[in-house]
């Protein structure tokens, strides 16, 4: 499966990682909802760790869609609480 | 994935589909995609230039404040040596405020530096993708039948669309951060204009109000502490002419 870390690039991971990532992701959201910043940081770093240990960076010239897009590595707790919205540079 | 990653994916996918909806003809999709990428690359360059400008502005403010801190420290000592504790306190209050602002600015300069590096790496990655896309688009146009081309185009367009959408989000995030820092720089400028960091020789009759505000802004405890330290230093130095200790920095 292909995973993108927003602002960083794409990584190829074994498909088995999907379940683990998904579980951590759901727990991270629950932590955010409970206002548990420490818990969120811990879960988030575990997610990044999976990509770091199992993932291989895709070549820059590959044009493939990702199955999973993760937020930026340095996402703040405040950002995690907010929706990722807005148009940025790409007009609607 | 309904979580953070799911939310992120939804936003990116919505952006891609909005981009691709603009065209119907496959060849046009490719040309439009390419044109958008080149535009985005220009925006990244502009974004980097903005970050550099903000950084320079903060650095200039930092060094100005640094000079004021040294000056105010010296003046506090001189005032104290002349038995003007009131003036010494005023100088120390201003120094404390200037130091606090300086530390805040320092931190932001570091953050901007990290941001500049990140954007530069993004720009390089996008440049590579654009080059790849340009080649691929000509190959697809020339070599494939309409039906086949359609499939390949949508693959390439989705791949590159994701890259563009993501870069757009990264740029937006960088702009938001830079905006916060600009606000900070302006706040420091306002204080500066109000004379909050002026040295005490510039004190006029109209400054009472400002000094009242200043003593509210700065931590009284820190000022008291420094004042007594300074007194002790002056006392133990023999007291001949401590006013001559010009430019000595306190830590």
């Amino acid at each position: 499966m292909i995973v993108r870390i927003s602002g960083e690039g794409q990584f190829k991971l074994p498909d088995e990682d999907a379940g683990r990532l998904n579980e951590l992701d759901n727990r991270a959201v629950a932590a955010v909802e409970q206002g548990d910043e420490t818990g969120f940081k811990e879960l988030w770093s575990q997610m990044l760790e999976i990509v770091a240990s199992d993932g291989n960076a895709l070549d820059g010239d590959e044009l493939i869609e990702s199955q999973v897009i993760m937020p930026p590595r340095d996402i703040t707790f405040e950002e995690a609480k907010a929706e990722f919205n807005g148009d940025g540079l790409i007009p609607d | 994935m309904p979580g953070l990653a799911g939310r992120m994916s939804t936003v990116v996918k919505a952006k891609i589909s909005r981009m691709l909806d603009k065209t119907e003809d496959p060849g046009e999709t490719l040309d439009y995609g390419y044109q958008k990428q080149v535009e985005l690359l220009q925006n990244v360059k502009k974004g980097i230039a903005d970050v550099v400008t903000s950084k320079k502005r903060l650095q200039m403010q930092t060094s100005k404040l640094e000079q004021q801190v040294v000056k105010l420290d010296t003046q506090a000592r001189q005032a104290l040596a002349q038995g003007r504790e009131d003036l010494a306190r005023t100088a120390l209050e201003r120094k404390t405020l200037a130091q606090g602002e300086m530390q805040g600015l320092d931190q932001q300069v570091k953050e901007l530096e990290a941001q500049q590096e990140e954007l530069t790496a993004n720009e390089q990655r996008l440049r590579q993708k654009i080059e790849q896309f340009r080649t691929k688009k000509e190959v697809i146009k020339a070599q494939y039948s309409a039906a086949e081309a359609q499939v390949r185009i949508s693959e390439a367009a989705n791949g590159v669309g994701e890259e563009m959408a993501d870069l757009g989000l990264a740029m937006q995030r960088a702009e938001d951060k830079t905006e916060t820092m600009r606000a900070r720089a302006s706040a420091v400028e306002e204080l500066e204009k109000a004379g909050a960091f002026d040295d005490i020789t510039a004190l006029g009759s109209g400054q009472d109000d400002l000094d009242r505000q200043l003593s509210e802004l700065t931590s009284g405890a820190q000022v008291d502490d420094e004042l007594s330290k300074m007194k002790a230093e002056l006392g133990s130095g023999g007291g001949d002419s401590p006013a001559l200790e010009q430019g000595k920095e306190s830590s």
Side-chain angles (χ1 to χ4, degrees):
Chain A
M1 103 176 136
I2 308 292
V3 174
R4 173 184 292 277
I5 297 180
S6 181
E8 202 163 313
Q10 291 172 294
F11 302 85
K12 192 170 176 51
L13 270 75
D15 288 346
E16 301 88 82
D17 282 338
R20 280 167 73 207
L21 274 178
N22 200 8
E23 196 225 320
L24 288 169
D25 191 38
N26 286 336
R27 283 169 60 199
V29 170
V32 169
E33 276 164 6
Q34 286 158 21
D36 175 10
E37 185 166 357
T38 320
F40 165 72
K41 296 252 151 147
E42 172 57 28
L43 290 160
W44 178 237
S45 68
Q46 283 180 37
M47 287 173 75
L48 290 172
E49 179 52 34
I50 290 179
V51 180
S53 62
D54 294 2
N56 287 310
L58 282 194
D59 279 346
D61 57 5
E62 298 243 31
L63 295 174
I64 309 180
E65 208 179 343
S66 311
Q67 276 87 47
V68 173
I69 300 173
M70 283 163 61
R73 178 176 294 272
D74 62 346
I75 184 175
T76 63
F77 191 59
E78 289 306 312
E79 283 175 315
K81 281 199 268 187
E83 294 289 337
F84 294 93
N85 53 20
D87 299 323
L89 296 173
I90 298 169
D92 283 329
Chain B
M1 276 204 174
L4 287 174
R7 231 154 59 187
M8 192 83 200
S9 303
T10 309
V11 173
V12 171
K13 287 205 165 72
K15 276 182 186 295
I16 299 172
S17 78
R18 281 202 295 266
M19 278 186 306
L20 298 184
D21 275 352
K22 294 223 163 108
T23 55
E24 280 171 18
D25 170 49
E28 219 177 274
T29 305
L30 288 175
D31 290 335
Y32 176 77
Y34 180 65
Q35 177 206 326
K36 278 285 152 199
Q37 289 168 50
V38 174
E39 275 174 33
L40 191 51
L41 192 62
Q42 291 308 314
N43 284 339
V44 176
K45 280 188 187 153
K46 201 176 140 283
I48 294 173
D50 281 351
V51 170
V52 172
T53 309
S54 300
K55 193 179 78 180
K56 281 196 183 138
R57 185 174 165 200
L58 292 184
Q59 278 170 333
M60 261 168 60
Q61 284 189 325
T62 310
S63 65
K64 248 198 210 163
L65 285 176
E66 220 169 347
Q67 288 168 11
Q68 282 311 98
V69 165
V70 174
K71 199 169 190 177
L72 287 165
D73 186 78
T74 308
Q75 289 188 332
R77 282 166 203 280
Q78 288 170 343
L80 209 51
Q82 288 157 20
R84 292 293 306 273
E85 192 171 327
D86 56 332
L87 275 183
R89 177 174 291 276
T90 302
L92 284 179
E93 274 166 5
R94 289 172 179 232
K95 181 189 150 191
T96 308
L97 182 69
Q99 265 175 332
E101 295 297 338
M102 217 171 79
Q103 279 159 10
L105 290 177
D106 255 353
Q107 180 56 33
Q108 297 199 318
V109 167
K110 284 197 191 102
E111 278 174 33
L112 282 178
E113 234 143 48
Q115 211 174 83
Q116 187 185 341
E117 273 171 33
E118 204 176 292
L119 286 178
T120 308
N122 274 339
E123 190 208 344
Q124 279 160 3
R125 208 163 52 222
L126 182 67
R127 192 186 295 279
Q128 196 182 2
K129 294 252 177 194
I130 291 177
E131 191 45 40
Q132 177 67 12
F133 188 81
R134 194 180 61 82
T135 313
K136 208 164 207 160
K137 132 179 130 81
E138 294 315 316
V139 171
I140 291 172
K141 275 187 187 169
Q143 292 189 353
Y144 293 95
S145 70
E148 255 182 330
Q150 193 66 58
V151 175
R152 303 211 170 236
I153 284 165
S154 91
E155 275 171 13
N158 278 326
V160 83
E162 182 184 309
E163 195 67 33
M164 285 162 62
D166 189 54
L167 192 70
L169 288 172
M171 284 297 297
Q172 189 189 349
R173 197 163 175 255
E175 275 174 15
D176 288 350
K177 276 198 207 163
T178 313
E179 201 51 53
T180 314
M181 293 184 194
R182 282 208 194 103
R184 169 108 196 192
S186 302
V188 173
E189 254 165 37
E190 285 303 310
L191 279 172
E192 204 179 311
K193 267 192 212 142
F197 308 123
D198 281 354
D199 58 69
I200 54 177
T201 54
L203 283 185
S205 53
Q207 300 281 352
D208 292 353
D209 190 43
L210 176 65
D211 278 312
R212 253 198 308 282
Q213 289 174 33
L214 271 181
S215 47
E216 279 165 20
L217 274 175
T218 53
S219 139
Q222 195 186 331
V223 172
D224 287 343
D225 199 37
E226 262 201 87
L227 200 57
S228 53
K229 256 191 222 153
M230 228 173 233
K231 275 188 200 163
E233 275 175 42
L234 287 174
S236 66
D240 285 345
S241 57
L244 296 178
E245 288 187 40
Q246 299 238 350
K248 183 175 173 187
E249 268 182 89
S250 81
S251 52

